């Protein structure tokens, strides 16, 4: 069965907000943590879901609904728990009977049809007048990517499955994802954030990582980029370091600076890092001028593999359009003929942390050039 996917659209720049906030309204049921304990049911402010650019391959008609009538398509309310699980409550259009054989289908974009690219979750009625409910448990791994959500049922004559219907997003309660801390004793970290696509369809953004280096406070000054973060799933050794790799230039060695434990960390060097180990590093711009884009990695120890630094432990699916940082123009040294650079950190479409560095000239250098005959 061939399922449609989203099409690509031009990138749009949005104004940044100061701090991450819950992109949800209250859900029909109280949120429960990974241990089953219900959180206090508090009213949550409503914020629009972060727009995420869709992938290629879909017509505009499919993106807005096969028949264009979004009001007659089923919607799914999503509730997240602190352990990484998701609950879907599917509300059918008025007059559409609830079927015992219904299922929620998650299809990963760009994946070939098969078990690795499709997840089928059975839907069960919640009471005589309630929605159809499906659960994606936190103990179930979901490969990294964007998963489009569909409703599938048997055909009215029982001859086979009907055409999958793209689900619309309903109310999302993602409060449990804000400032989330991975639980100790895990061997992998799964993050799932539901969001509305540009065309108003429901998709789940998933990450699957371990170890994981979560980016924290960023400061851009004339002297360099100061980064603080926390490492989960590994301990910080005495030779822990931050590595900046030039994108698209694998043959070029990285720019390396030390990344020692910050405030003593909360993880013991050489331990499993389940509680998270705080680290800090300052990356000077010397050595970065000459290549534009640099990807930032943390190497926990001399013999350990590097870990991509990202920010995924919250409820924002696409930080590239929400968390934007101003560009800083750094003047050059007097011994560099007035050469300087402009610096701006940013998050990629995968919420990984990168740095953009561009060569510039000081005002005095430009004036001196203009005065030449």
């Amino acid at each position: 069965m061939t399922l449609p996917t989203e099409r690509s659209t031009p990138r749009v720049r949005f104004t940044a907000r100061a701090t991450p906030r819950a992109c949800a309204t209250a859900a029909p049921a109280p949120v429960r943590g990974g241990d089953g304990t219900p959180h206090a049911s508090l009213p949550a402010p409503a914020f629009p879901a972060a727009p995420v650019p869709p992938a290629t391959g879909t017509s505009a008609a499919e993106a807005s609904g096969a028949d264009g009538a979004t009001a007659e398509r089923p919607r799914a309310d999503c509730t997240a728990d602190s352990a990484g699980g998701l609950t879907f409550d599917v509300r059918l259009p008025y007059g559409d009977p609830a079927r015992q054989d219904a299922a929620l289908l998650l299809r990963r974009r760009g994946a070939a049809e098969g078990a690795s690219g499709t997840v089928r979750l059975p839907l069960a009625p919640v009471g005589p007048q309630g929605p159809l409910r499906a659960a994606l448990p936190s103990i179930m791994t979901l490969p990294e990517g964007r998963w489009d959500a569909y409703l599938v049922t048997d055909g009215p004559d029982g001859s086979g499955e009907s055409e999958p219907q793209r689900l619309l997003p309903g109310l999302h309660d993602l409060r449990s994802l804000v400032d989330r801390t991975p639980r100790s004793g895990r061997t992998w970290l799964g993050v799932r954030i539901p969001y509305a696509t540009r065309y108003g369809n429901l998709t789940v953004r998933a990450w699957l990582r371990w170890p994981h280096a979560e980016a924290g406070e960023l400061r851009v000054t004339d002297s360099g980029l100061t980064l603080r973060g926390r490492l989960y799933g590994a301990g910080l050794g005495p030779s822990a370091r931050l590595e900046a790799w030039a994108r698209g230039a694998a043959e070029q060695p990285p720019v390396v600076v030390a990344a020692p434990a910050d405030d003593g960390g909360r993880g013991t060097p050489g331990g499993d890092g389940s509680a998270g180990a705080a680290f800090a590093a300052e990356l000077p711009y010397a050595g970065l001028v000459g290549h534009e884009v640099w990807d930032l990695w943390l190497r926990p120890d001399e013999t350990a593999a590097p870990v991509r630094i990202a920010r995924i432990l919250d409820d924002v699916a696409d930080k590239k359009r929400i968390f934007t940082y101003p560009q800083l123009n750094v003047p050059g040294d007097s011994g560099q003929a007035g050469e300087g650079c402009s610096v701006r950190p940013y998050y990629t479409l995968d919420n990984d942390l990168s740095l953009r560095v561009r060569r510039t000239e000081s005002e005095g250098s430009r004036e001196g050039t203009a005065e030449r005959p």
Side-chain angles (χ1 to χ4, degrees):
M1 180 183 299
T2 301
L3 300 178
T5 58
E6 304 290 340
R7 70 168 182 176
S8 61
T9 57
R11 298 182 178 177
V12 181
R13 192 166 189 175
F14 288 80
T15 303
R17 64 186 185 197
T19 55
R21 304 171 69 184
C23 299
T25 60
V31 184
R32 296 181 179 270
D35 56 0
T37 303
H39 299 295
S41 182
L42 299 175
F47 298 97
V52 176
T56 59
T58 292
S59 66
E62 187 278 336
S64 61
D67 55 4
T70 59
E72 299 179 0
R73 291 162 57 198
R75 292 183 178 271
D77 302 332
C78 299
T79 303
D81 64 47
S82 58
L86 284 179
T87 300
F88 301 89
D89 285 338
V90 178
R91 294 180 278 119
L92 301 177
Y94 179 77
D96 194 349
R99 299 178 179 176
Q100 300 289 339
D101 52 9
L104 188 144
L105 189 70
L106 295 176
R107 174 73 176 173
R108 184 160 59 97
R109 294 186 196 169
E113 291 193 28
S116 63
T118 303
V119 173
R120 187 185 182 96
L121 304 173
L123 285 163
V126 181
Q129 302 297 326
L132 299 175
R133 178 168 292 175
L136 179 66
S138 61
I139 60 174
M140 177 179 179
T141 60
L142 196 64
E144 193 158 320
R146 299 176 190 266
W147 296 76
D148 297 329
Y150 298 83
L151 173 68
V152 292
T153 62
D154 281 349
D157 56 357
S159 59
E161 284 190 351
S162 60
E163 187 70 19
Q165 288 182 279
R166 196 72 165 88
L167 284 172
L168 296 172
L171 302 177
H172 292 176
D173 188 343
L174 309 180
R175 288 173 290 176
S176 295
L177 301 182
V178 179
D179 296 327
R180 177 187 171 194
T181 299
R183 294 180 175 272
S184 60
R186 300 295 294 267
T187 57
W188 52 274
L189 172 65
V191 176
R192 300 87 179 259
I193 305 178
Y195 69 92
T197 69
R198 181 178 178 85
Y199 294 105
N201 297 318
L202 176 63
T203 295
V204 176
R205 182 63 171 96
W207 288 267
L208 184 62
R209 302 190 177 185
W210 204 252
H212 168 60
E214 180 75 0
E217 179 187 12
L218 296 177
R219 287 191 177 185
V220 181
T221 65
D222 288 350
S223 60
L225 171 70
T226 300
L227 165 67
R228 285 182 168 84
R230 191 168 292 276
L231 175 66
Y232 298 95
L236 285 173
S239 59
R241 64 198 192 194
L242 175 70
E243 297 181 352
W245 287 84
R247 184 179 299 178
E251 72 285 351
Q252 183 174 340
V255 177
V256 177
V257 294
D262 188 26
D263 296 333
R266 287 174 51 193
T268 303
D272 63 0
S274 57
F279 65 89
E282 183 172 352
L283 180 65
Y285 307 130
L288 300 180
V289 179
H291 193 88
E292 184 171 344
V293 180
W294 297 83
D295 297 326
L296 303 184
W297 298 71
L298 176 70
R299 192 179 293 272
D301 207 347
E302 185 69 30
T303 59
V307 181
R308 189 71 166 96
I309 299 176
R311 187 165 183 173
I312 58 177
L313 297 179
D314 55 29
D315 63 336
V316 182
D318 185 5
K319 293 177 179 60
K320 185 179 179 71
R321 305 179 185 279
I322 302 297
F323 286 45
T324 60
Y325 297 89
Q327 176 178 291
L328 177 66
N329 293 320
V330 181
D333 296 333
S334 58
Q336 295 180 342
E339 239 181 13
C341 63
S342 65
V343 180
R344 185 176 71 86
Y346 73 96
Y347 289 101
T348 70
L349 291 177
D350 293 326
N351 287 2
D352 296 326
L353 182 60
S354 294
L355 187 65
R356 189 179 301 277
V357 180
R358 289 174 175 166
R359 191 190 306 271
T360 61
E361 290 183 349
S362 68
E363 184 176 352
S365 176
R366 290 194 301 269
E367 291 176 352
T369 302
E371 292 173 356
R372 294 175 182 174

